Amino acid sequence: MKITDGNVIRFHLQALYGISAKNFAKKKGKLVYTGAKVFGVPLENLPRRYIPEFGLVPCFLVEGCSFLLDRVGTVGLFRKPGSLSRVKILREKLNRGDDALSTASPYDIATLVKQFCRELPELLFPSEIHAALLEAQALPDLQGKMAALQLLSCLLPARNSSCLQYLFDFLHKVSQRCSDNLMTSSNLATVFVPCLLPPPNKTEMSEERLELRVLVLRTFIEFPHVFGNKLIILVEYHFKISLADFLLNASYFRCDF
């Protein structure tokens, strides 16, 4: 039997919080993209830059967020839309590999960052994990809520995790300037829900369910250091549940033999 980090994490989520996290669906095949196209391209096919704190992050995201950090006091950043005509031109330039950011409007670049996240072929938060994230956010105990969200973030593929870690760290910095830009962590979470945790159906668009989605993102924006933090290596010490218990319950999981 093959024991993986993901199986251990799922065991602790179920044992401690009653949360079942689905396995991610295996890809049927990889699409190959060529050229400098930026939007609508799988993460693995995008040019990426290694950032020591986060790993490999798409170059456009790094460049776009760095541009916006220099203009972080812009009022309504990410809330106020950019110019449709200018954004269209910028997209065309970026997809050709041209330098398009240096003279652009902050509102246009913020719009492009949202479009980049929203148009990825696969969501940065895979749909299989959405229900578990909402369950974790709804836990009444703050410590348990934070721990469950942290464990769930550790289930993500490395490329998704690096991208989201970088993004939440950036949005945290934006929220710290809310006295200037008027964009609190709650405001930022609200505008990023359609990009990161979009409701899949009308049932999930109820006020209560939408609020949970906002709160999940707000938590990660306010506490970006907990996202993807794999201190769960010390899981036996922290959670007082032994690997023997996991092995005894291993039939609960879809393990490889």
Side-chain angles (χ1 to χ4, degrees):
M1 181 176 65
K2 181 182 177 182
I3 303 299
T4 66
D5 286 349
N7 287 334
V8 174
I9 292 170
R10 287 181 171 87
F11 171 74
H12 283 89
L13 282 165
Q14 179 64 42
L16 292 169
Y17 310 112
I19 295 174
S20 297
K22 295 180 181 179
N23 290 302
F24 300 135
K26 292 184 178 180
K27 295 182 180 179
K28 295 181 179 179
K30 289 188 176 180
L31 297 175
V32 178
Y33 288 76
T34 58
K37 191 175 180 183
V38 171
F39 299 92
V41 178
L43 285 175
E44 59 266 33
N45 294 110
L46 286 166
R48 288 178 285 174
R49 182 181 304 172
Y50 179 73
I51 310 294
E53 306 95 308
F54 308 106
L56 290 170
V57 182
C59 291
F60 167 72
L61 192 62
V62 174
E63 293 162 4
C65 292
S66 298
F67 174 92
L68 292 173
L69 276 181
D70 290 336
R71 299 153 181 82
V72 73
T74 304
V75 174
L77 194 63
F78 288 109
R79 180 175 57 81
K80 292 185 178 181
S83 160
L84 290 177
S85 58
R86 291 198 305 264
V87 167
K88 181 180 179 181
I89 293 171
L90 285 170
R91 282 175 63 104
E92 292 171 353
K93 288 183 177 180
L94 288 166
N95 277 332
R96 291 198 303 265
D98 298 342
D99 175 23
L101 302 186
S102 56
T103 59
S105 158
Y107 298 118
D108 294 344
I109 301 304
T111 296
L112 286 172
V113 168
K114 290 189 294 183
Q115 289 182 357
F116 171 81
C117 295
R118 188 169 61 245
E119 294 177 17
L120 286 167
E122 296 179 346
L123 293 169
L124 287 172
F125 279 114
S127 58
E128 293 92 339
I129 206 173
H130 287 198
L133 285 168
L134 301 192
E135 282 187 65
Q137 184 61 50
L139 290 172
D141 174 61
L142 178 60
Q143 185 176 354
K145 179 185 307 184
M146 296 292 289
L149 286 171
Q150 180 177 356
L151 286 169
L152 286 166
S153 73
C154 292
L155 286 174
L156 297 175
R159 57 181 174 270
N160 299 54
S161 181
S162 295
C163 193
L164 284 167
Q165 279 184 283
Y166 183 86
L167 182 61
F168 286 132
D169 182 76
F170 161 71
L171 292 175
H172 178 71
K173 293 171 181 174
V174 174
S175 70
Q176 288 183 312
R177 289 286 301 277
C178 64
S179 59
D180 299 315
N181 57 40
L182 306 182
M183 294 302 292
T184 63
S185 57
S186 181
N187 291 338
L188 289 166
T190 299
V191 298
F192 269 90
V193 161
C195 311
L196 302 179
L197 286 175
N201 52 52
K202 289 184 178 180
T203 302
E204 289 295 321
M205 291 182 69
S206 68
E207 184 176 348
E208 180 182 359
R209 300 293 285 178
L210 283 173
E211 180 63 16
L212 280 175
R213 291 173 187 273
V214 170
L215 289 174
V216 168
L217 298 188
R218 178 180 172 179
T219 298
F220 286 131
I221 292 171
E222 292 182 352
F223 306 98
H225 60 282
V226 307
F227 188 91
N229 190 334
K230 294 197 175 181
L231 290 177
I232 54 164
I233 297 170
L234 303 174
V235 73
E236 287 185 281
Y237 172 78
H238 285 292
F239 297 112
K240 307 292 190 301
I241 294 180
S242 69
L243 184 59
D245 289 328
F246 170 73
L247 291 170
L248 287 172
N249 290 275
S251 60
Y252 172 80
F253 304 96
R254 291 172 56 188
C255 300
D256 297 324
F257 289 83

